Amino acid sequence: PNGSLIGVGTDNQLYSRKTLNSPWVNMNIAGQFNAVSVANDGHTLMLVGKDTNIYSFDLNTPNTPVQAIDRGHFILKIIQLQNGQFFAIGTDTYLYIGNGTFNPYNISWSQVSSNNCCAKSIAQAPNGSIILLDTNGKIQVASSVGAPWTMTQACCFSAIAVMPIPPQKIMGYDRK
């Protein structure tokens, strides 16, 4: 929310940095995580643990522990869309849409019905379009959840995550 970046390190710990050029600093949040995103409220971290359970952490109350809020929904990554719905990648690499609330956790999930296999990372652009990095390293864009995917020119590299960068650019991240 303040322009800082938050990420998961190769040690599965959460790190933040104030700018693209500043050093990564361990956030000292207990737990081991595979994914992190920020909810629409700007202060709730939506976390996926190494155990594929979903956790939350409130940046406004940093001295409180991480809360386990769902056990058993095998999720690799979760984001909150601009319309308040939740969008996730399951451990089966299929896409899921969820309606409900994050904390307290009450989300009902359903599989996205079309063209939704083999996702590695997802993001939503400021214009509302959905960005997908598939397991083959191809970046695709859809105008909305369930709409047809269009392959971008940024194709076929070894990225592990995608995110939009205004204006109308896509960044892929590679651990190498």
Side-chain angles (χ1 to χ4, degrees):
N2 63 4
S4 295
L5 300 171
I6 297 174
V8 178
T10 56
D11 60 357
N12 299 100
Q13 297 293 300
L14 294 176
Y15 291 83
S16 67
R17 68 192 310 181
K18 299 221 182 273
T19 69
L20 285 174
N21 298 320
S22 60
W24 287 100
V25 177
N26 190 311
M27 296 175 69
N28 295 314
I29 297 172
Q32 297 235 309
F33 306 101
N34 287 333
V36 59
S37 62
V38 180
N40 289 353
D41 65 15
H43 60 86
T44 300
L45 297 184
M46 298 184 298
L47 305 163
V48 178
K50 281 186 69 173
D51 56 7
T52 68
N53 290 325
I54 301 173
Y55 298 85
S56 73
F57 182 79
D58 190 337
L59 293 170
N60 288 342
T61 55
N63 295 324
T64 59
V66 169
Q67 300 295 313
I69 59 172
D70 184 46
R71 298 178 191 277
H73 278 86
F74 300 94
I75 300 291
L76 293 177
K77 175 155 184 171
I78 182 173
I79 63 172
Q80 188 171 23
L81 300 174
Q82 295 164 0
N83 67 4
Q85 288 183 300
F86 297 91
F87 197 45
I89 302 172
T91 54
D92 59 1
T93 71
Y94 282 88
L95 299 174
Y96 294 84
I97 192 76
N99 290 300
T101 59
F102 188 74
N103 202 2
Y105 186 88
N106 185 21
I107 299 176
S108 61
W109 293 101
S110 58
Q111 192 175 22
V112 175
S113 60
S114 62
N115 301 326
N116 70 347
C117 177
C118 308
K120 188 175 187 179
S121 184
I122 50 174
Q124 186 174 35
N127 69 0
S129 62
I130 305 297
I131 304 165
L132 174 130
L133 173 67
D134 70 22
T135 55
N136 294 318
K138 297 175 184 171
I139 296 175
Q140 302 178 51
V141 178
S143 60
S144 63
V145 173
W149 294 102
T150 302
M151 189 77 61
T152 67
Q153 291 179 347
C155 172
C156 310
F157 62 102
S158 61
I160 60 170
V162 291
M163 63 182 278
I165 300 176
Q168 299 179 353
K169 293 185 180 186
I170 299 170
M171 180 173 85
Y173 174 74
D174 187 341
R175 284 188 182 168
K176 295 179 183 176

